[in-house]
Amino acid sequence: MARHTVCARDDIVVGELTPVTLDGGISIVLFRSQFDEIRAFSGVCPHQGARLEFGCVSHLTQGDEANMITVDTGVQILRCPWHGFAFDMQTGHPVVKNAKRQHLRLKIYDVEIDNDQVVVVA
Amino acid sequence: MPIIDTDVHESFASLQDLVPYLADPYKDWIASGAWRGFSQPFCYTSPGNGNRADVKSPDGSPSASDPNLLKELVLDKYDITYAVLTGYFYPTMLKLQYGLASALARAYNDYVVDHWLTVDDRLLGSIQVFARDPQAAAREIDRMADHPGMRQVMLPVVDDIAYGDPHYRPIFEAAERNRLQVAFHHTVLAEGPYGMGLHYMERHALLPTAMMSQVISLICNGTFDNYPNLKFIVLEGGFTWLPSVMWRLDREYRQGRVEVPWIKKLPSEHCRERLKLATQPTEDLRSDEWEKIVDLMGTDDILVFATDYPHFDFDDPDASIPHNLSADLREKIMWKNAASFYDLSMPPASAIAAE
């Protein structure tokens, strides 16, 4: 594993997906939450390779009755810009699991803050 | 080998047969000939005008109205263990006069009990309802459910109802509380996505698309999730399309769950666990093609045999399902899957082994 200093902490806007490329060409998207936590994900969707910097971050919808949807603010999801596949940002697991198909787990990288610089461990 | 025929059509000889079971004012309306009944909006092109041409009642009445003919030509001839009556007369095809339509459903159910279910223990029944009034349909289901021969609620596929719509929930609630299953069968109103086409052949080839639409509607609107004890059977709607629909729905769910979070399982899991498809018309698959389709379905629990007696596209129990299928698969299709679906007591194991 290598430590990659990718940008200054303040370069990342809260709520936006920020793309960076690590040495060696690994694509990453960084996300800074409203609680100031910075997380790093693969920048490429494991489904068909879409660039996740164009995706969106939202919350999981829930509901037991047709046409009654609520938003579960406890689960944040990253959705692919192409097909809308959704990944749990805490675990990287797909929201819809399909045991008979490729698992499609989104890779999550460790992030460290070093002198206000964002360091991705990959 | 036991055989369960999941789609046999019974009928009355004429609407007048329902008069004893109707109350006024509808009794008077029907008795006076104020309604001539349903008629198909096309010509049949088969030699028997929609039915097997060799099936004729001795008195010239419609063949589907003679239980003794059914006994002779199906139950006894093929040693059928159970046959499920699925009707010919579907009041849901009426688009107005709801009171009349519900009364006709009630009368028809009483007629079937008196004239069919009492004739032979091998016959099982479907509760007919007028689905456009779901509360009335639920009351009819509650009324009929205690009859031991009634095993399912019949929802006819017409041209303007997708049964997943929450409007129809009282029907599914009633079926579930009465431990009945739910069957779908097309009617002469059923259409493909662009109507019936311009030819009978076109209309007949399009029927599976109507059934695909129903399965998609039920899954997407949460019917499978809301009624976890219900099971569903699609009759005479084809079956080779199921792998495609399952793949498509799973894919759509992965990308579109945000809109339908009430779906709690992969649609394919719902289908594999709780959907049956009747084999008739069998489309003349070779045995290797049967095996492939079942393999693509991911389970051999889905297919159930049907003859569709007395219709022209009748599937012969001895000829329509290849004998060189694996014994396990053939048994599942011919009776085991249906016995499980309808919770039927089958003949003792010794009787089966003796065959």
Side-chain angles (χ1 to χ4, degrees):
Chain A
M1 302 290 267
R3 301 175 79 254
H4 304 262
T5 301
V6 293
C7 61
R9 175 193 186 95
D10 290 341
D11 289 341
I12 307 173
V13 178
V14 172
E16 291 187 7
L17 290 163
T18 303
V20 295
T21 303
L22 306 186
D23 295 340
I26 300 172
S27 295
I28 298 284
V29 286
L30 301 171
F31 181 75
R32 183 172 174 181
S33 74
Q34 59 182 321
F35 306 110
D36 222 20
E37 180 191 21
I38 295 177
R39 311 207 68 205
F41 306 89
S42 168
V44 177
C45 180
H47 178 222
Q48 291 189 13
R51 292 167 60 187
L52 291 178
E53 67 197 76
F54 298 107
C56 67
V57 173
S58 59
H59 291 102
L60 189 67
T61 55
Q62 298 285 18
D64 293 328
E65 288 293 323
N67 307 318
M68 302 282 283
I69 302 177
T70 59
V71 174
D72 180 354
T73 55
V75 182
Q76 206 160 34
I77 57 173
L78 173 55
R79 298 191 71 207
C80 169
W82 284 0
H83 306 108
F85 283 26
F87 301 92
D88 183 325
M89 294 177 73
Q90 204 61 41
T91 65
H93 287 299
V95 169
V96 176
K97 298 176 180 64
N98 186 343
K100 293 181 180 295
R101 300 278 173 257
Q102 61 184 125
H103 184 55
L104 301 182
R105 185 174 184 177
L106 180 65
K107 191 170 176 60
I108 299 177
Y109 295 89
D110 287 338
V111 173
E112 299 169 3
I113 303 298
D114 188 353
N115 288 326
D116 278 339
Q117 295 293 303
V118 178
V119 177
V120 175
V121 181
Chain B
M1 181 190 298
I3 300 173
I4 298 176
D5 183 348
T6 61
D7 188 16
V8 168
H9 294 280
E10 87 292 351
S11 184
F12 42 63
S14 89
L15 266 178
Q16 297 304 313
D17 290 349
L18 298 187
V19 169
Y21 302 99
L22 287 165
D24 283 330
Y26 308 120
K27 184 188 191 83
D28 179 53
W29 294 6
I30 299 303
S32 67
W35 184 44
R36 295 177 185 173
F38 300 113
S39 175
Q40 79 274 5
F42 47 76
C43 279
Y44 287 111
T45 57
S46 60
N49 297 330
N51 284 347
R52 279 174 37 172
D54 61 331
V55 177
K56 296 200 184 298
S57 298
D59 64 358
S61 61
S63 54
S65 67
D66 187 346
N68 290 317
L69 206 56
L70 168 65
K71 285 178 68 172
E72 175 192 341
L73 296 179
V74 181
L75 301 183
D76 294 342
K77 177 175 181 179
Y78 297 102
D79 196 16
I80 300 287
T81 314
Y82 293 103
V84 185
L85 301 172
T86 53
Y88 237 162
F89 178 73
Y90 303 116
T92 301
M93 290 163 58
L94 267 178
K95 295 185 177 178
L96 64 167
Q97 300 179 314
Y98 281 21
L100 169 65
S102 292
L104 287 168
R106 180 185 178 101
Y108 188 79
N109 289 326
D110 289 339
Y111 161 83
V112 168
V113 168
D114 282 357
H115 291 263
W116 291 83
L117 295 184
T118 54
V119 168
D120 196 302
D121 288 342
R122 292 171 290 182
L123 294 177
L124 303 173
S126 305
I127 298 174
Q128 303 291 347
V129 297
F130 176 60
R132 295 176 197 278
D133 185 344
Q135 297 293 349
R139 287 193 294 274
E140 181 61 9
I141 294 166
D142 288 337
R143 187 181 77 89
M144 294 304 302
D146 283 344
H147 192 288
M150 291 297 189
R151 297 297 173 132
Q152 64 188 6
V153 174
M154 174 60 68
L155 291 180
V157 172
V158 290
D159 56 347
D160 60 349
I161 295 178
Y163 283 105
D165 188 314
H167 175 68
Y168 299 101
R169 286 187 175 173
I171 297 174
F172 296 101
E173 288 167 6
E176 186 174 61
R177 72 172 164 263
N178 287 293
R179 299 182 180 180
L180 295 163
Q181 311 307 354
V182 179
F184 300 88
H185 196 293
H186 71 258
T187 66
V188 293
L189 299 185
E191 295 186 343
Y194 299 101
M196 290 192 189
L198 300 178
H199 307 281
Y200 179 81
M201 174 182 162
E202 206 172 342
R203 173 254 171 194
H204 205 241
L206 283 167
L207 290 175
T209 65
M211 293 305 188
M212 294 164 71
S213 301
Q214 294 297 337
V215 171
I216 291 169
S217 173
L218 294 170
I219 295 271
C220 290
N221 289 284
T223 310
F224 277 69
D225 294 281
N226 278 320
Y227 308 102
N229 298 314
L230 277 186
K231 292 181 283 188
F232 308 87
I233 183 167
V234 171
L235 301 165
E236 207 177 342
F239 57 91
T240 53
W241 48 264
L242 186 62
S244 168
V245 166
M246 289 195 298
W247 289 327
R248 180 75 185 208
L249 280 172
D250 282 358
R251 169 60 184 266
E252 297 287 349
Y253 182 49
R254 288 177 109 177
Q255 61 198 38
R257 183 201 166 278
V258 64
E259 181 194 21
V260 288
W262 48 84
I263 301 176
K264 302 301 184 188
K265 283 187 173 184
L266 282 175
S268 62
E269 291 175 350
H270 276 320
C271 291
R272 290 190 187 99
E273 292 169 7
R274 290 159 60 200
L275 179 66
K276 302 285 183 235
L277 301 181
T279 52
Q280 184 278 338
T282 48
E283 301 171 358
D284 297 332
L285 305 183
R286 296 189 315 263
S287 59
D288 63 308
E289 293 167 333
W290 279 94
E291 305 268 3
K292 281 179 190 169
I293 283 293
V294 170
D295 188 43
L296 291 175
M297 287 178 177
T299 175
D300 57 5
D301 292 338
I302 289 176
L303 297 180
V304 295
F305 176 73
T307 62
D308 192 31
Y309 173 89
H311 288 157
F312 76 97
D313 49 351
F314 174 87
D315 267 346
D316 186 297
D318 292 335
S320 58
I321 310 296
H323 284 264
N324 57 345
L325 287 183
S326 72
D328 282 351
L329 177 56
R330 197 157 193 285
E331 281 202 315
K332 285 205 159 191
I333 292 173
M334 296 307 294
W335 69 275
K336 281 186 174 175
N337 287 342
S340 168
F341 182 79
Y342 291 116
D343 193 22
L344 294 173
S345 301
M346 294 302 288
S350 57
I352 298 169
E355 292 200 358

